[in-house]
């Protein structure tokens, strides 16, 4: 696998529901079809999950619609307490949930535990926001009328999540939806259904009423989600995934003028200026690049390093990357798990081969290992040509592509030369320069001397083709609320 690999495995017992969750009941698919869940570290089948179809999607939507009025009328404190209970249950079941995440997604157990804590925090955060939904009361300019503004849930919501953070992406959407008083139909990624079903079980046990949360696992994503989109009953979709799929959903949402939240692709620039603290920059790079094996929309995709420090930074980063231990996520000592599937690994190798063919040099990694599982070694490329495909495509793997630059204006132009704009990272010891560059970057989030921007208390989201709307923070609940205005004459 790499210079270091693991062999000793920890195999905790994994228990999670494997049926659909509709109207508060666990049920097989109408067709009785099931699909395999694969361990990406071995290629072995670890579970068979109900494969929902359009009939199941329709049943789930009917349940969400049927529960909508009562859930919207539920007191905010009651909704808050349910989310708080679910948060506490997630934390109490941390080891069990981490084991499920590692088994079906591949990330090391230590990282999976981190995701559980991160994901649980969305429920705690939005349990607190549920009781702080605000309104307004003012007078018209002429003083003749009162203006009373209230907030109301948008209605039934479609939630679609990816496989890379199967718990956190679910809680980041379900938390604000339930806090606002919305019911949901939820389609998790085909690769990671077990985490979503375990989450549904936790919410049910926490007291979520029948029909408020409905989960349909499926291999027919377009059929199931398309059924919901065309139903006319859903009033919002919140999607995290590729820009290509996001555009299709935006077109479908237009037919019913549906509210949308889109967290799409990224092509994050990681900028190291000539005055940067290189030790801190390398630390930040390890987080921004290697979190989740690089399979994150926030992952540093393009490393722009000032020419005066390029060689030093590349050597330090390669030393750190090459020392990482690659292996199964449930093996003792693993720091880098497998990629999600063969297609994901093949894409990474194709991008690396293209860069090497254009003159890049791999100073560590660069070749997928033989053997079972979808492993790819941490890789550092230097002398990368700006026309290489990995400069314009999201890598989604443990590959750092380094490009030198000379001036601030040059690197800002390079960083902004992309259709995406989710996050950017800047390392410099000059606070004025840091703020100036952050303001010039065409992104929704900026990490200044840090490689981690995700936090439930912050508004997560991007600009350009990286999406619409924000998740998390004080504004996260706004995506699930409508304004209603009362005009009242003064007597």
């Amino acid at each position: 696998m790499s210079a270091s690999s693991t062999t000793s495995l920890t195999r905790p017992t994994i228990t999670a529901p494997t049926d659909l969750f509709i109207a508060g009941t666990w049920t097989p698919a109408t067709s009785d079809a099931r699909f395999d869940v694969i361990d990406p570290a071995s290629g072995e089948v670890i579970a068979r999950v109900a494969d929902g179809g359009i009939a199941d999607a329709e049943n789930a939507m009917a349940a969400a619609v049927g529960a909508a009025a009562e859930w919207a009328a539920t007191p905010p404190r009651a909704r808050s307490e349910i989310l708080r209970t679910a948060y506490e249950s997630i934390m109490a079941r941390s080891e069990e949930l981490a084991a499920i995440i590692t088994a079906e997604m591949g990330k090391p157990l230590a990282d999976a535990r981190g995701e559980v804590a991160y994901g649980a925090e969305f429920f705690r955060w939005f349990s607190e926001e549920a009781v702080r939904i605000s309104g307004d009361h003012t007078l018209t300019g002429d003083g003749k009328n009162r203006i009373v503004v209230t907030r109301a849930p948008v209605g039934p919501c479609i939630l679609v999540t990816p496989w890379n953070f199967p718990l956190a992406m679910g809680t980041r959407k379900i938390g604000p939806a339930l806090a606002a008083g919305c019911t949901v139909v939820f389609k998790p990624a085909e690769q990671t259904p077990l985490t979503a079903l375990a989450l549904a079980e936790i919410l049910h046990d926490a007291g979520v009423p029948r029909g408020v949360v409905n989960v349909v696992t499926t291999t027919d994503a377009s059929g199931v989600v398309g059924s919901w989109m065309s139903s006319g009953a859903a009033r919002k979709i919140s999607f995290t995934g590729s820009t290509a799929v996001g555009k299709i959903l935006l077109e479908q949402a237009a037919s019913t003028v549906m509210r949308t939240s889109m967290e799409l692709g990224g092509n994050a620039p990681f900028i190291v200026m000539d005055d940067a603290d290189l030790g801190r920059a390398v630390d930040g790079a390890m987080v921004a690049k290697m979190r989740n094996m690089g399979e994150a929309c926030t992952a540093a995709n393009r490393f722009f390093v000032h020419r005066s420090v390029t060689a030093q930074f590349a050597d330090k980063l390669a030393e750190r990357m090459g020392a990482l231990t690659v292996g199964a996520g449930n093996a003792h000592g693993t720091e880098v798990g497998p990629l999600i599937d063969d297609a994901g690994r093949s894409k990474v190798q194709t991008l690396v081969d293209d860069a090497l063919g254009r003159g890049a040099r791999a100073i560590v990694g660069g070749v997928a290992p033989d053997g079972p599982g979808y492993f790819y070694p941490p890789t550092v490329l230097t002398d990368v040509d700006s026309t290489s495909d990995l400069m314009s495509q999201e890598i989604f793997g443990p590959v750092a592509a380094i490009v030198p630059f000379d001036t601030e204006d040059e690197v800002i132009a390079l960083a902004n030369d992309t259709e995406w704009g989710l996050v950017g990272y800047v390392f410099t010891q000059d606070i004025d320069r840091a703020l100036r560059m952050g303001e010039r970057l065409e992104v929704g989030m900026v990490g200044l001397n840090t490689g981690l921007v995700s936090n439930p208390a912050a508004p997560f989201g991007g600009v350009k083709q990286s999406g619409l709307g924000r998740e998390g923070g004080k504004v996260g609940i706004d995506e699930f609320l409508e304004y209603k205005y009362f005009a009242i004459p003064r007597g």
Side-chain angles (χ1 to χ4, degrees), residues 77 132 219 241 254 348 489:
R77 179 60 68 192
R132 293 177 174 82
T219 59
V348 172

Side-chain angles (χ1 to χ4, degrees), residues 56-91:
D56 303 300
E58 292 172 346
N59 291 338
M61 181 59 73
V65 171
E70 185 175 352
W71 182 245
T74 299
R77 179 60 68 192
R79 300 198 299 263
S80 171
E81 292 298 335
I82 288 172
L83 285 171
R84 178 70 189 208
T85 299
Y87 158 77
E88 291 170 350
S89 181
I90 291 173
M91 296 306 294

Side-chain angles (χ1 to χ4, degrees), residues 25-80:
T25 301
W26 296 103
T27 179
T30 301
S31 66
D32 285 327
R34 306 188 83 81
F35 65 92
D36 294 340
V37 182
I38 305 297
D39 175 0
S42 66
E44 298 175 355
V45 176
I46 57 174
R48 287 182 54 77
V49 170
D51 192 358
I54 292 176
D56 303 300
E58 292 172 346
N59 291 338
M61 181 59 73
V65 171
E70 185 175 352
W71 182 245
T74 299
R77 179 60 68 192
R79 300 198 299 263
S80 171

